[in-house]
Amino acid sequence: MTDHEGVTVLTRGQLARATGCNIETIRYYEKIAMLPEPPRTASGYRIYDDRHAIRLRFILRARELGFSIHDIRGLLELVEGGRQTCAEVKGRTERHLAGIRAKLADLEKMRQVLETAAAKCSGDNVPECPIIETLTSA
Amino acid sequence: MTDHEGVTVLTRGQLARATGCNIETIRYYEKIAMLPEPPRTASGYRIYDDRHAIRLRFILRARELGFSIHDIRGLLELVEGGRQTCAEVKGRTERHLAGIRAKLADLEKMRQVLETAAAKCSGDNVPECPIIETLTSA
DNA sequence: TCTTGAGCCTGTAGGTACTACAGGCCTTAC
DNA sequence: GTAAGGCCTGTAGTACCTACAGGCTCAAGA
């Protein structure tokens, strides 16, 4: 595909490569209306532009940061409705952060338990293992 | 249900309440053999005991920490296997530790990005939000 | 111009980890 | 004895993708 009036125009595969997104995932996002249905060529090929790429990157980044599709829909509505306030966005982010911090604390605990247990373990071929002791009595 | 020989005996609903697990999830875990099929009363009601509760709590905790069902099956073999050598157990533990460290790193990254973004955000009722900036510009 | 192969189209099915509902039997309390 | 609630089973739906299959289109080379 080529450019028109300085606007970069992409096929689905090109959008996928440009964003690092699986092509099937793009299709899925369209199906669930996370991405708008793009216009088509006469033969039915989809035509994407920069705005699609920007929106998709936003979605991918938010997914990477652990936001659910539902969360992201909310964020996108705020952003694109133009009526978002910083306070609303911050509130949502803080709630999400709280969940992440809780998971971090739990994982940290688990790491310590396993590391302590592994350190006590000689690795010799004996059937008594301190790791098992630790896990069963945790 | 009542107790027999000092062993606490639970129905499925009671097990659910005791562990904070959705009753349907217990059913699902039995279906996929994460939990053993418990014995039944004459009329067909399932009878659980403390060991079921312990195993279920372990599973729930591990799921919360982001382990897959597959991972947990491995962990449970560690805990309940008994017939493995210390070397085998240590190997498995080290692999799980690697998984935990990777998850910690991922979450830590998420936390930092989101905290940095949230810190920049005044929270005022203005439409320009640094968090959105963060999300739009990877 | 014809052909070939990559890329696009659609529908459908699978995977993981649950979650919800419907219709019926069992138990407990009044 | 009966009503409410809990348990039983099967089935279907959710979230978030991922992977085909079978067919059409487009660009490039012979």
Side-chain angles (χ1 to χ4, degrees):
Chain A
M1 289 205 181
T2 49
D3 290 11
H4 297 287
E5 298 138 31
V7 177
T8 307
V9 157
L10 305 161
T11 63
R12 195 182 257 178
Q14 288 168 336
L15 177 63
R17 279 189 295 281
T19 56
C21 183
N22 186 328
I23 193 165
E24 296 283 6
T25 306
I26 296 177
R27 201 186 153 201
Y28 170 71
Y29 286 162
E30 272 164 32
K31 195 175 136 208
I32 63 168
M34 287 287 284
L35 288 174
E37 277 274 312
R40 309 270 190 132
T41 63
S43 62
Y45 278 33
R46 286 171 183 76
I47 303 165
Y48 299 92
D49 63 28
D50 292 338
R51 284 162 317 173
H52 291 98
I54 288 169
R55 191 179 167 112
L56 179 53
R57 266 192 277 265
F58 181 96
I59 294 167
L60 293 172
R61 177 105 175 103
R63 289 287 303 135
E64 248 179 66
L65 292 175
F67 286 99
S68 70
I69 297 284
H70 181 82
D71 291 339
I72 298 170
R73 244 189 256 277
L75 286 172
L76 282 166
E77 262 173 52
L78 287 184
V79 175
E80 279 160 21
R83 49 171 187 70
Q84 112 262 14
T85 64
C86 206
E88 279 173 326
V89 174
K90 186 164 184 169
R92 283 166 201 235
T93 305
E94 287 295 357
R95 277 195 292 283
H96 184 54
L97 257 173
I100 290 175
R101 290 197 191 103
K103 270 190 195 152
L104 271 168
D106 271 3
L107 269 178
E108 194 55 53
K109 253 189 269 172
M110 187 148 196
R111 185 177 66 80
Q112 265 171 35
V113 169
L114 286 179
E115 273 178 2
T116 308
K120 270 188 256 169
C121 182
S122 67
D124 293 340
N125 269 348
V126 291
E128 288 79 29
C129 182
I131 293 174
I132 288 178
E133 311 289 303
T134 307
L135 283 171
T136 32
S137 61
Chain B
M1 291 207 181
T2 49
D3 292 10
H4 296 285
E5 298 138 28
V7 178
T8 306
V9 156
L10 305 160
T11 64
R12 194 182 257 179
Q14 288 168 336
L15 178 63
R17 280 190 296 281
T19 56
C21 183
N22 185 328
I23 193 165
E24 296 283 4
T25 305
I26 297 177
R27 201 187 151 200
Y28 170 70
Y29 285 162
E30 273 163 32
K31 195 175 135 207
I32 63 168
M34 288 287 285
L35 288 175
E37 276 275 312
R40 309 269 190 134
T41 62
S43 61
Y45 277 34
R46 287 171 183 76
I47 303 164
Y48 299 91
D49 63 29
D50 292 336
R51 284 163 316 174
H52 291 97
I54 288 169
R55 191 179 167 111
L56 179 53
R57 265 191 279 263
F58 184 92
I59 294 167
L60 292 173
R61 179 151 157 74
R63 284 292 302 137
E64 251 178 60
L65 295 179
F67 287 99
S68 70
I69 296 287
H70 180 82
D71 290 339
I72 298 170
R73 251 188 251 276
L75 280 171
L76 282 167
E77 266 173 50
L78 275 188
V79 176
E80 279 157 23
R83 47 170 179 65
Q84 326 171 53
T85 65
C86 199
E88 283 171 330
V89 171
K90 186 164 185 169
R92 278 167 177 276
T93 305
E94 290 294 357
R95 279 194 291 283
H96 282 297
L97 259 173
I100 291 175
R101 291 194 190 106
K103 282 202 193 87
L104 272 167
D106 275 1
L107 279 174
E108 193 54 51
K109 219 173 89 185
M110 282 186 204
R111 188 180 64 78
Q112 262 173 37
V113 171
L114 290 173
E115 273 179 2
T116 306
K120 272 190 252 165
C121 182
S122 67
D124 292 341
N125 268 349
V126 294
E128 289 80 28
C129 183
I131 295 174
I132 297 297
E133 308 291 303
T134 304
L135 284 170
T136 30
S137 58

